[in-house]
Amino acid sequence: MSRLASLSVSDFAAALASDAPAPGGGSAAAAGGANAAGLLAMVVRLTLGKEKYKSAWAELAPLVDRLDDARTKLLELVDEDTKAFDAVLAARRLPKETEAEKAARGQALDTANVLATTVPMQTAFFAHEALKVAPLVLDKGNPNAASDAWAGALAAWAAVGAALANVRINLPGVSDPELQRGFREDATLMEKTAAEALEKARALARTRGLAA
Amino acid sequence: MSRLASLSVSDFAAALASDAPAPGGGSAAAAGGANAAGLLAMVVRLTLGKEKYKSAWAELAPLVDRLDDARTKLLELVDEDTKAFDAVLAARRLPKETEAEKAARGQALDTANVLATTVPMQTAFFAHEALKVAPLVLDKGNPNAASDAWAGALAAWAAVGAALANVRINLPGVSDPELQRGFREDATLMEKTAAEALEKARALARTRGLAA
């Protein structure tokens, strides 16, 4: 079991609040995304269990595994994000007296920065996986749990945005211009599709009286 | 120590995902709000510690206690929300054969529904407290932690929205029309000011290259 994801909910929030720069927004985004996937999976389970919502079963059943997988991945990313951040700090602390040291440090820093963008990009991806199915879950899922599905959509959207901010803050440290450009484009596209999914979910939440 | 907030981050997400209707969106909103308050408090702490950002100290210093208090309250609300939900379920299960039983059940249900709206309203309030200060933290806080402040704003906004959805889904069960009307107005107003704070934070996040 990983370290941060095995902290209590309370201690994790305290670890975020402390003056240590990690864990920070990337790990919090992964934890929020995991909760979002959890909420949406619950709504699906509360739909599959009830004869009354049988007409939605075929469409919703495949989502259980997808959401459970996303949750598992996101919980791993809670720790991976903080490890990636620590690797950047470690690389920054390497000696830079001689030319050889400078080169080694530059290389280590570059590798660490690639990791520090790749990890939150994965967090954004899996939170986005949860967000993408949120409108369907809100539309066809057990209506008694509609507020849970909407809560899942909101948390997943927030996780995508926070993870992408972490990608963007670390991108300038990536030396490969192609990689930088690719990540930047992916981030722009994902932010756009996330906003669209949130708006779809919001429209459904409104018809159910859950949002103004 | 309360029950849900003492679960590990991982087990909490699994508890959300299970087919038990609680914990659900209300408890997840409180946990997300606590993480948001934690992230914003971290950014303030990382600002107060550095001579370089001395000009921001006077404005940011008072936020430490406010954000820490919000986090503490929100962590309590993680459990209170599930307790309130359980109280509604317990009231629904009361016997309703005789007139006396019906009256007692109606009374218990009403009390439980008042609690089930009051608790998420508190969650919305404290998450909103964190959200309100997010633009200032993003603007004046340590710029190296800007992505953490923006992540805090996003998570706080999602928590407000999810908590208000929980208020709204339970409101029809509250018999007092004045209380219903008051809560509905409060929810509308809070959703509006939350959206304004998020937009302020988003504008600042954009100038820092954290959002598109």
Side-chain angles (χ1 to χ4, degrees):
Chain A
M1 160 69 80
S2 55
R3 206 184 59 86
L4 287 170
S6 65
L7 287 183
S8 72
V9 169
S10 183
D11 288 347
F12 180 71
L16 293 174
S18 87
D19 64 0
S27 289
N35 286 345
L39 285 169
L40 291 160
M42 172 183 78
V43 180
V44 173
R45 288 191 165 92
L46 290 172
T47 308
L48 299 179
K50 320 269 188 222
E51 200 65 29
K52 208 169 154 184
Y53 311 121
K54 204 169 177 174
S55 64
W57 288 3
E59 218 172 345
L60 295 190
L63 304 187
V64 172
D65 283 350
R66 278 173 66 183
L67 289 165
D68 285 353
D69 287 351
R71 174 165 52 90
T72 304
K73 282 300 299 176
L74 286 160
L75 288 167
E76 288 167 15
L77 289 158
V78 171
D79 277 270
E80 284 173 28
D81 195 277
T82 291
K83 275 182 212 154
F85 182 84
D86 288 342
V88 174
L89 293 190
R92 274 194 208 140
R93 271 187 236 107
L94 288 175
K96 45 179 177 176
E97 299 293 308
T98 69
E99 286 307 311
E101 281 176 354
K102 276 185 202 164
R105 181 177 177 272
Q107 184 66 51
L109 209 45
D110 194 45
T111 306
N113 275 313
V114 170
L115 191 68
T117 47
T118 311
V119 169
M121 192 53 106
Q122 288 179 62
T123 301
F125 176 83
F126 287 106
H128 188 254
E129 284 290 294
L131 177 56
K132 273 196 298 191
V133 304
L136 177 63
V137 175
L138 195 46
D139 191 26
K140 304 281 177 72
N142 185 329
N144 298 322
S147 63
D148 301 302
W150 173 228
L154 288 164
W157 178 82
V160 171
L164 292 180
N166 266 53
V167 171
R168 286 166 171 145
I169 211 166
N170 292 313
L171 261 189
V174 173
S175 65
D176 181 341
E178 272 308 295
L179 200 62
Q180 249 202 49
R181 198 182 49 81
F183 271 43
R184 209 171 286 284
E185 285 175 9
D186 290 352
T188 305
L189 183 65
M190 203 183 283
E191 193 170 352
K192 194 171 162 286
T193 58
E196 287 164 3
L198 184 73
E199 285 318 307
K200 255 193 215 174
R202 194 203 301 272
L204 292 160
R206 276 199 187 115
T207 66
R208 296 184 185 279
L210 300 174
Chain B
M1 160 70 77
S2 54
R3 205 184 59 86
L4 287 169
S6 65
L7 287 184
S8 71
V9 169
S10 184
D11 288 347
F12 181 71
L16 293 174
S18 86
D19 64 0
S27 289
N35 286 346
L39 285 170
L40 291 160
M42 173 184 78
V43 180
V44 173
R45 288 191 166 93
L46 289 172
T47 308
L48 299 180
K50 321 269 188 222
E51 200 65 30
K52 207 169 155 185
Y53 311 121
K54 203 168 179 174
S55 63
W57 289 2
E59 219 171 343
L60 295 190
L63 304 188
V64 173
D65 284 349
R66 277 172 68 182
L67 288 165
D68 285 352
D69 287 350
R71 175 166 51 92
T72 305
K73 281 300 299 177
L74 286 160
L75 287 167
E76 289 167 14
L77 288 159
V78 171
D79 278 270
E80 283 173 29
D81 195 276
T82 291
K83 275 183 212 152
F85 182 85
D86 288 342
V88 173
L89 293 190
R92 275 193 206 140
R93 273 187 234 107
L94 288 176
K96 45 178 178 177
E97 299 292 308
T98 68
E99 285 308 311
E101 280 175 356
K102 276 185 201 165
R105 182 175 176 274
Q107 182 67 52
L109 210 45
D110 194 46
T111 306
N113 276 313
V114 170
L115 191 67
T117 46
T118 312
V119 169
M121 192 53 107
Q122 287 179 62
T123 301
F125 176 83
F126 287 105
H128 189 254
E129 283 290 293
L131 178 56
K132 273 196 300 190
V133 304
L136 176 63
V137 175
L138 196 45
D139 191 26
K140 304 282 177 72
N142 185 330
N144 299 322
S147 64
D148 301 302
W150 173 228
L154 287 164
W157 178 82
V160 171
L164 292 180
N166 267 52
V167 171
R168 287 167 171 145
I169 211 167
N170 291 312
L171 259 190
V174 172
S175 67
D176 182 341
E178 271 308 296
L179 201 61
Q180 250 203 47
R181 197 182 52 77
F183 271 42
R184 207 170 288 283
E185 285 175 8
D186 289 352
T188 305
L189 182 65
M190 202 183 285
E191 195 170 350
K192 193 170 163 286
T193 58
E196 287 164 2
L198 183 74
E199 284 318 306
K200 253 192 217 175
R202 192 203 303 272
L204 292 159
R206 277 200 186 112
T207 65
R208 295 185 186 279
L210 300 175

